[in-house]
Amino acid sequence: MATVQAPRGTKDILPEDVVYWQYIEAIARSTFRSAAYQEIRTPIFEQTNLFERGIGEATDVVGKEMYTFTDRGDRSLTLRPENTAGVARALIEHNLQAQGGVQRLWYSGPMFRYERPKAGRQRQFHQIGVEVLGSASPRADAEAIAVAMNFLAALGLKTPQLMFNSIGSFEDRKAYREALVDYLTPYKDDLDSDSQDRLTRNPLRILDTKVERTREIIQDAPTLIQQMSSESIQRFEQVQQLLTDLGLAYTIDPQLVRGLDYYTHTVFEIQAEELGTEATVCAGGRYDGLVEQLGGTEVPAVGWASGVERLLLLVKEHGAVPAQAVDFYVVSRGDRAEANALALSQTLRKLGFAVELDLSGSAFGKQFKRADRSGAAACFTLGDAEAEQGTVQIKWLASGDQEEMKQDEIEAIAPNLRQKLDQLVS
RNA sequence: GCGAGCGUAGCCAAGGGGUUAAGGCAUCGGAUUGUGGUUCCGACACUCGGGGGUUCGAAUCCCCUCGUUCGCCCCA
């Protein structure tokens, strides 16, 4: 490409799409407010080792997807590939847990992963997520999931499927990893090459392979739940009970393993069938060890993140986010009238109206055409005659009714204008 | 990172070696020089993502490259 273009896997969000983003963000805000979550904003880049320590060096995200660079001070920095590590870091750094009780936080912003782009997957993408820090209660898990479901429901998504599993404690997983490796090692040569690789790096991921032969082998492999302590199993059952009590339908998916190392116990995904391969619209789980692993005290936590681009695909499909129109459109022609029109626009704006001023200087007919298309309720017209007499024509575009008034009366009749606008809306 | 498809105007597109690159939407101008939503007329790609090659001749064939889409991997 000879001309300039956005980097691969990034996208401009143009005004016609921004209305959808604002819609999603507004619903997120009100959903989180209703559950007493507070917003937190952390840096878009962090020290590289935060992610290495938090997410895990063996993960794909850290191993091959990070945007890492060295700054002028020779520091290794990384554009955040997710935000849980950053929030945990902020919690530690500002001693938020010392304020006692539970920290319920939410965030929204861009994340970066070096991946091959496709529909619903970009290199710069956006996540809205929540983190509940400081509670080990199964109710925290259930609440976080419930809030996620509230959010998706409020967005009007009809078919979110909640997939749910427990991957036990770190100890459970360690025991399971050994059992799994013991079981698989004799079959090593029969495994696909990816899985052979994972046998040493990340054996749990072999479970969700799609390779036929490997699937056959893992059919009879030991299961995680067999290795889980009775406490872990009890915890798993408690969360299930709570979800059931809340009337939330879920499917237990024993194959569900998250890609990041910090998860413990509860893991879940919410999927929307319509999206095909990139169907996961929200994912998360419990991460009891993360804060401690990053050098903080022991802070049990649970959270999730939702991909805004994917939500956007669904929300757009369901249509119907009203474009916001201006209240008034101001049309003018002639030097004095045009100057008056600018001043009038300002007056109206200061009175609280949304006003678009036509700057074209073209024929009144053309300007009216634009007034019509702008969706404004009324058009204010100023020409030579009005400039001469200090008047302005107000035409209500739906009815075609036109009235004339003095320019300096506008302030006085503002309440009437407001009233008319409100009537038109209802 | 691997395999495959696609790339013609702001948008949706036809055209698959022969020279004027269909059509629709949008936009702009006019009919209507101070009054809109309809209608009618007109304008709107020295050029087919970019670079190179084959050919008398390339949007059409070949190579490279960039972007995108689908599958794998992984993931929100």
Side-chain angles (χ1 to χ4, degrees), chain A residues 109-162:
Chain A
M111 308 294 158
F112 305 84
R113 291 182 200 172
Y114 189 90
E115 289 190 281
R116 196 139 175 182
K118 56 188 294 187
R121 173 191 292 189
Q122 295 166 207
R123 291 184 172 184
Q124 175 178 340
F125 61 105
H126 296 76
Q127 288 187 331
I128 292 176
V130 309
E131 313 291 355
V132 182
L133 299 124
S135 173
S137 169
R139 285 176 298 142
D141 306 45
E143 183 190 91
I145 292 172
V147 168
M149 296 303 276
N150 289 350
F151 174 46
L152 300 180
L155 284 173
L157 307 195
K158 296 281 186 278
T159 58
Q161 297 287 314
L162 173 60

Side-chain angles (χ1 to χ4, degrees), chain A residues 106-326:
Chain A
W106 70 271
Y107 61 81
S108 168
M111 308 294 158
F112 305 84
R113 291 182 200 172
Y114 189 90
E115 289 190 281
R116 196 139 175 182
K118 56 188 294 187
R121 173 191 292 189
Q122 295 166 207
R123 291 184 172 184
Q124 175 178 340
F125 61 105
H126 296 76
Q127 288 187 331
I128 292 176
V130 309
E131 313 291 355
V132 182
L133 299 124
S135 173
S137 169
R139 285 176 298 142
D141 306 45
E143 183 190 91
I145 292 172
V147 168
M149 296 303 276
N150 289 350
F151 174 46
L152 300 180
L155 284 173
L157 307 195
K158 296 281 186 278
T159 58
Q161 297 287 314
L162 173 60
M163 311 302 282
F164 175 64
N165 192 26
S166 172
I167 57 171
S169 65
F170 281 119
E171 293 72 36
D172 296 336
R173 255 195 299 168
K174 194 169 166 242
Y176 178 57
R177 184 176 300 131
E178 283 167 15
L180 188 63
V181 171
D182 286 347
Y183 168 82
L184 287 172
T185 303
Y187 296 102
K188 188 170 181 201
D189 293 338
D190 293 333
L191 296 175
D192 60 283
S193 59
D194 274 346
S195 296
Q196 288 182 17
D197 218 46
R198 291 182 187 136
L199 197 54
T200 49
R201 256 187 39 242
N202 202 346
L204 296 204
R205 293 224 63 96
I206 297 174
L207 294 178
D208 59 6
T209 183
K210 283 172 187 145
V211 178
E212 192 68 32
R213 176 68 188 127
T214 305
R215 291 206 75 89
E216 286 170 19
I217 294 169
I218 60 178
Q219 285 263 301
D220 298 319
T223 63
L224 180 55
I225 200 151
Q226 290 167 351
Q227 303 294 323
M228 272 162 61
S229 68
S230 56
E231 291 80 8
S232 294
I233 292 172
Q234 196 188 1
R235 201 178 186 295
F236 187 25
E237 286 167 350
Q238 282 171 335
V239 179
Q240 287 173 52
Q241 186 60 51
L242 291 167
L243 292 175
T244 304
D245 291 348
L246 287 171
L248 294 173
Y250 59 87
T251 305
I252 292 179
D253 177 0
Q255 317 284 43
L256 183 64
V257 202
R258 311 258 62 245
L260 314 181
D261 279 358
Y262 52 61
Y263 286 109
T264 51
H265 299 290
T266 299
V267 292
F268 71 95
E269 268 184 25
I270 302 171
Q271 302 175 346
E273 309 290 302
E274 303 97 295
L275 292 181
T277 324
E278 315 306 311
T280 302
V281 98
C282 177
R286 177 159 281 282
Y287 48 96
D288 288 343
L290 178 63
V291 173
E292 196 172 11
Q293 196 177 319
L294 293 176
T297 55
E298 193 189 329
V299 179
V302 58
W304 52 260
S306 192
V308 182
E309 281 78 2
R310 293 182 189 178
L311 294 175
L312 197 75
L313 292 171
L314 296 168
V315 167
K316 283 178 97 163
E317 207 141 282
H318 297 112
V321 170
Q324 33 181 307
V326 90

Side-chain angles (χ1 to χ4, degrees), chain A residues 341-410:
Chain A
L342 174 60
L344 175 70
S345 302
Q346 276 296 90
T347 301
L348 288 166
R349 288 166 188 153
K350 285 175 182 166
L351 290 167
F353 299 106
V355 181
E356 181 172 349
L357 173 65
D358 192 305
L359 294 169
S360 69
S362 51
F364 274 113
K366 298 295 175 193
Q367 295 195 49
F368 266 88
K369 198 171 251 181
R370 282 186 213 105
D372 191 52
R373 272 188 307 225
S374 76
C379 180
F380 285 58
T381 308
L382 287 130
D384 294 333
E386 287 78 10
E388 194 64 39
Q389 297 159 33
T391 58
V392 57
Q393 308 289 337
I394 304 178
K395 182 170 188 175
W396 296 89
L397 290 164
S399 63
D401 298 342
Q402 182 161 292
E403 46 191 314
E404 182 181 83
M405 64 185 54
K406 291 283 190 188
Q407 287 174 35
D408 54 19
E409 283 172 2
I410 292 292

